[in-house]
């Protein structure tokens, strides 16, 4: 890795920490907090754990993956499974892309199914990211979680929708999600209507859910973006 690339990565990591800290400061005592997955969400969990320790903040976390569960335990956050919580006050999570309308693309860490469930259950959904995640329109491949039994059919149907599906691999084997399923990363080029595409993909038999998060589905969506001039807060009017 060149010195220039290493510096750029350090800068992005610094921005992820900055936005994660800003989100950790939003959390109020007695809250039930959805804990997202990925490196930015991990920083959030770490800062939140710091507040729990220093301020004796009484909160309960709802993890969206095994990784976020382990991070929460490491940083001293009490946990609760989604089905055991009466409510989720706020969910905080990262994103892979955020378009101009605040549609999200998630799932590059393979946790989008539980992330979407927890975000949908939360009264307030706060997305945290560095400025490199912003885009005009979503045009990267969409992660699609598929029941292994239906893999071939899902590949065929995604191709019929105009996508180019590729089975996600890890260490020479098919990647398996926390839910025991495979992921097809389906390239559709630029997606014109995120909501319609999300629905079409999810209507394929055997598809569990995909990584498109249409902004319309989250009435209390707030996006925090860290850049050179600090943290910007975006909301739809
Ligand atoms: C995992 C996700 C993550 O939120 C997304 O991949 C962002 O990760 P990072 O904060 O590491 O850039 O959707 O399924």
């Amino acid at each position: 890795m060149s010195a220039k690339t290493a510096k750029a990565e350090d800068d992005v990591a610094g921005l992820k920490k900055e936005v994660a800290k800003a989100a950790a400061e939003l959390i109020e005592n007695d809250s039930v907090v959805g804990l997202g997955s990925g490196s930015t969400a991990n920083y959030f969990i770490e800062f939140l754990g710091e507040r729990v320790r220093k301020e004796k903040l009484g909160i309960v976390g709802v993890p969206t993956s095994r990784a976020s569960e382990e991070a929460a335990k490491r940083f001293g956050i009490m946990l609760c499974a989604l089905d055991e919580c009466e409510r989720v006050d706020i969910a905080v999570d990262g994103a892979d892309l955020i378009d101009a309308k605040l549609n999200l693309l998630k799932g590059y860490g393979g946790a989008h199914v539980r992330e979407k469930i927890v975000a949908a259950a939360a009264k307030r959904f706060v997305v945290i990211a560095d400025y490199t995640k912003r885009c005009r329109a979503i045009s990267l491949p969409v992660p699609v979680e598929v029941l292994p039994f239906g893999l071939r059919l899902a590949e065929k149907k995604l191709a019929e929708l105009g996508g180019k599906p590729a089975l996600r691999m890890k260490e020479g084997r098919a990647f398996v999600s926390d839910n025991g399923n495979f992921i097809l990363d389906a390239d559709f080029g630029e997606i014109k209507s995120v909501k319609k595409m999300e629905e079409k993909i999810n209507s394929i038999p055997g598809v569990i859910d995909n990584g498109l998060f249409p902004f319309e589905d989250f009435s209390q969506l707030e996006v925090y973006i860290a850049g050179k001039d600090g943290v910007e807060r975006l909301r739809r009017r």
Side-chain angles (χ1 to χ4, degrees):
M1 191 192 293
S2 73
K4 208 168 159 194
T5 317
K7 159 109 180 47
E9 281 189 9
D10 276 1
D11 289 351
V12 167
L15 293 174
K16 287 181 178 190
K17 284 184 194 169
E18 191 180 335
V19 73
K21 192 163 198 290
E25 278 156 15
L26 296 174
I27 307 301
E28 292 173 4
N29 201 23
D30 286 332
S31 302
V32 180
V33 186
L35 305 173
S37 303
S39 57
T40 319
N42 261 338
Y43 289 131
F44 166 74
I45 294 170
E46 184 172 348
F47 285 122
L48 189 58
E50 205 173 289
R51 286 197 61 203
V52 166
R53 206 173 58 248
K54 288 190 184 154
E55 300 171 35
K56 308 271 174 276
L57 197 69
I59 57 131
V60 178
V62 181
T64 54
S65 60
R66 284 198 202 124
S68 67
E69 181 178 340
E70 278 162 24
K73 284 181 183 158
R74 203 163 53 247
F75 295 113
I77 297 174
M78 265 183 24
L79 290 173
C80 172
L82 183 61
D83 279 353
E84 288 159 13
C85 301
E86 274 176 26
R87 59 176 209 281
V88 180
D89 297 296
I90 180 169
V92 179
D93 204 348
D96 297 297
L97 283 182
I98 301 153
D99 77 9
K101 294 178 180 161
L102 304 189
N103 292 300
L104 312 175
L105 179 71
K106 290 181 50 55
Y108 279 46
H112 57 279
V113 172
R114 295 190 196 186
E115 288 171 340
K116 202 183 275 185
I117 294 170
V118 173
K123 288 185 208 150
R124 190 175 170 195
F125 181 29
V126 174
V127 175
I128 51 174
D130 64 86
Y131 73 96
T132 64
K133 305 293 183 66
R134 285 186 85 174
C135 63
R136 185 183 53 79
I138 289 174
S139 51
L140 289 178
V142 179
V144 181
E145 183 157 330
V146 180
L147 203 71
F149 184 82
L151 186 66
R152 295 284 165 248
L153 179 76
E155 279 174 337
K156 187 167 163 270
K157 296 279 184 191
L158 285 167
E160 283 171 16
L161 287 180
K164 289 194 191 87
L167 182 63
R168 189 176 297 184
M169 305 294 289
K170 191 178 176 187
E171 290 156 10
R173 291 169 174 240
F175 172 88
V176 177
S177 73
D178 284 358
N179 311 310
N181 299 313
F182 293 148
I183 292 184
L184 290 168
D185 292 300
D187 191 351
F188 293 94
E190 184 174 316
I191 296 175
K192 297 272 181 298
S193 168
V194 169
K195 176 85 178 149
K196 279 191 192 144
M197 183 59 85
E198 192 235 14
E199 289 173 352
K200 280 186 196 164
I201 296 173
N202 281 354
S203 72
I204 298 172
V207 165
I208 312 295
D209 205 342
N210 70 79
L212 291 170
F213 285 47
F215 72 85
E216 300 97 311
D217 291 359
F218 304 95
S219 56
Q220 298 299 321
L221 171 67
E222 294 157 59
V223 178
Y224 284 63
I225 303 274
K228 285 179 223 81
D229 300 324
V231 176
E232 189 184 358
R233 176 173 174 239
L234 306 169
R235 282 184 85 160
R236 280 195 64 94
R237 296 182 190 279

